[in-house]
Amino acid sequence: MAAAPRGEEAAAWSEEAARLVWGGAVPLQVHLHDADVTALPPPPPFLTLGPRVGYFPLLVSTIKAHFSSSLPPGVDTVWFEYKGLPLKWYIPIGVLFDLLCADPERPWNLTVHFRGYPADILSPCEGEDSVKWNYNNSLKEAAFIITGNSKNVMNMSQADQLAMWESVRKGDLNSYMNISTKLKLGPFEEDFLVRTSSLGSRQGSDEPESPGSVKPCRVPVRLYVRRVQQDLEYLEDAIPVSDWESVSYINRPFEIRKEGGRSYIALEHALETLLPEFFSSKATARAADPEPESTTPDSEPHNSDTSPGTPHDEKLASAGPQETDVAKKIKLKLVRVQGIELDMDIPFLWVANNLKNPECYLHVCVYVGA
């Protein structure tokens, strides 16, 4: 009976953490690009809050209403940029802010374009429909990683699918919880020991576990690794990201297998396992015996981009001796999740359970000096 209060307290903390994550927002100051201004004087910038777990295309209708009297005629092809860098519409607003603003900029000054979509950099976006598709696809991927298949998501009723998407679009945590609990995608249990760093061949199939084995705990993780100056002392001095080639997008689950006893899995250990390329001699082992990246039933829009994620992943996974030597010299500068600069000894599974996004992925921004 003594354990009950602790369980209730943990549940209360988790509920509060979820409310803080869903209530988090980035203050935005949005400027209309000069080329789109057709009336004088130019319109003032638009001030708004961007939900951390939301997406930029979902803000377009309110932003367009503010600038409507100044826009040129024709078909809108809306996109956002920060310091000349087109922003990827399928990455959550909070993740983009944590990744691109080394020293948090408040309000975050962005430029909106209604013409000249950079199709060579960004994948096509058809507004809310594209964001909804991306969300549903990511949720199916997460379900596949966690349970070994996507049936629980694929078998959702149309009413539940619509209700879940509306809860995400509106930032309604209570409605989201009413639907998401039916999917049984969490929480991740905290009495596991680390077994392997990657899904491997067994995780990429629907084959049952061997007799006597225990089903592993698999955490969907998306990592965004940004390279900054090796000798950087102050974050405000970080060179801005000028193109997506300086960022590695890595889709790599964290697997844990249940064994006897309990184990404290720190964030540092999880990152060493997830990113062996950037942590000392583990890069050598990966180079000698590279493991496959995670695979899921459906493709995602990230891979359709001509920009960085997939090419970087392939290069790092098959790094040769020279690249490995360079990796050993890389220094970890900062780890950020949901705007929080995390200590490396924080329990990883607490982070995964309490700071994940609505599609059940944990998004981690990592700054490395290179």
Side-chain angles (χ1 to χ4, degrees):
M1 296 297 294
R6 290 199 296 270
E8 292 174 3
E9 183 179 2
W13 274 107
S14 294
E15 182 178 344
E16 179 64 15
R19 295 196 180 280
L20 290 172
V21 167
W22 277 67
V26 179
L28 306 174
Q29 183 164 263
V30 184
H31 305 259
L32 180 62
H33 190 262
D34 292 343
D36 292 337
V37 176
T38 62
L40 294 176
F46 180 65
L47 293 168
T48 189
L49 292 174
R52 276 194 153 270
V53 297
Y55 301 85
F56 277 116
L58 302 182
L59 303 179
V60 168
S61 60
T62 54
I63 292 174
K64 182 178 178 179
H66 175 78
F67 293 121
S68 60
S69 61
S70 301
L71 296 178
V75 179
D76 295 332
T77 53
V78 186
W79 55 286
F80 296 82
E81 72 163 84
Y82 175 60
K83 295 186 176 180
L85 179 72
L87 301 182
K88 293 179 178 290
W89 57 266
Y90 51 75
I91 298 179
I93 292 173
V95 177
L96 286 168
F97 182 68
D98 293 345
L99 177 66
L100 301 178
C101 292
D103 185 31
E105 177 184 320
R106 299 185 179 92
W108 191 16
N109 281 277
L110 303 176
T111 300
V112 62
H113 299 250
F114 286 81
R115 301 291 183 272
Y117 194 84
D120 58 328
I121 299 175
L122 302 180
S123 59
C125 179
E126 302 297 332
E128 182 180 335
D129 287 344
S130 292
V131 181
K132 180 180 178 181
W133 179 89
N134 175 70
Y135 170 80
N136 288 333
N137 196 49
S138 293
L139 183 63
K140 286 186 288 185
E141 291 177 356
F144 184 86
I145 291 168
I146 295 169
T147 68
N149 62 69
S150 302
K151 293 178 182 178
N152 48 358
V153 178
M154 300 289 288
N155 293 336
M156 290 176 67
S157 67
Q158 287 293 328
D160 281 353
Q161 289 183 42
L162 179 60
M164 173 170 275
W165 169 245
E166 285 298 305
S167 70
V168 173
R169 187 178 68 83
K170 297 176 180 178
D172 185 347
L173 175 61
N174 291 332
S175 296
Y176 172 83
M177 293 301 296
N178 289 337
I179 304 299
S180 64
T181 51
K182 300 178 183 180
L183 300 179
K184 299 179 180 179
L185 297 180
F188 304 110
E189 296 182 37
E190 298 190 19
D191 55 343
F192 288 89
L193 292 173
V194 173
R195 169 77 173 241
T196 181
S197 64
S198 160
L199 284 179
S201 59
R202 179 163 45 195
Q203 288 177 281
S205 70
D206 288 329
E207 294 180 7
E209 298 287 330
S210 58
S213 66
V214 180
K215 186 176 181 180
C217 168
R218 297 162 180 162
V219 182
V221 183
R222 283 181 175 156
L223 301 116
Y224 308 80
V225 183
R226 174 180 171 180
R227 293 163 179 77
V228 296
Q229 305 96 296
Q230 179 78 21
D231 57 353
L232 181 68
E233 293 186 19
Y234 304 102
L235 288 176
E236 58 264 30
D237 296 329
I239 297 174
V241 176
S242 59
D243 59 64
W244 286 102
E245 291 301 323
S246 59
V247 176
S248 293
Y249 171 89
I250 302 172
N251 208 32
R252 188 173 292 163
F254 183 71
E255 178 180 300
I256 310 161
R257 287 185 177 272
K258 191 173 185 179
E259 299 175 359
R262 299 177 64 88
S263 177
Y264 178 92
I265 304 172
L267 176 63
E268 181 177 18
H269 180 88
L271 288 178
E272 288 175 349
T273 306
L274 288 162
L275 296 172
E277 307 93 318
F278 300 103
F279 287 88
S280 67
S281 61
K282 293 196 175 184
T284 304
R286 186 171 183 86
D289 186 21
E291 300 174 8
E293 291 298 316
S294 65
T295 57
T296 50
D298 301 299
S299 60
E300 57 180 332
H302 313 80
N303 293 338
S304 66
D305 276 0
T306 56
S307 53
T310 303
H312 272 289
D313 292 353
E314 293 172 352
K315 179 179 179 181
L316 290 170
S318 58
Q322 291 182 340
E323 289 88 346
T324 301
D325 290 340
V326 172
K328 291 180 181 180
K329 300 176 183 178
I330 290 175
K331 180 180 180 181
L332 184 68
K333 296 286 188 179
L334 174 69
V335 177
R336 232 182 232 156
V337 179
Q338 298 293 0
I340 305 169
E341 298 182 11
L342 297 177
D343 292 332
M344 296 297 283
D345 60 352
I346 191 171
F348 172 74
L349 289 177
W350 186 94
V351 176
N353 279 321
N354 296 288
L355 301 183
K356 63 180 181 292
N357 274 50
E359 80 286 1
C360 296
Y361 266 94
L362 178 66
H363 297 259
V364 183
C365 295
V366 181
Y367 286 56
V368 295

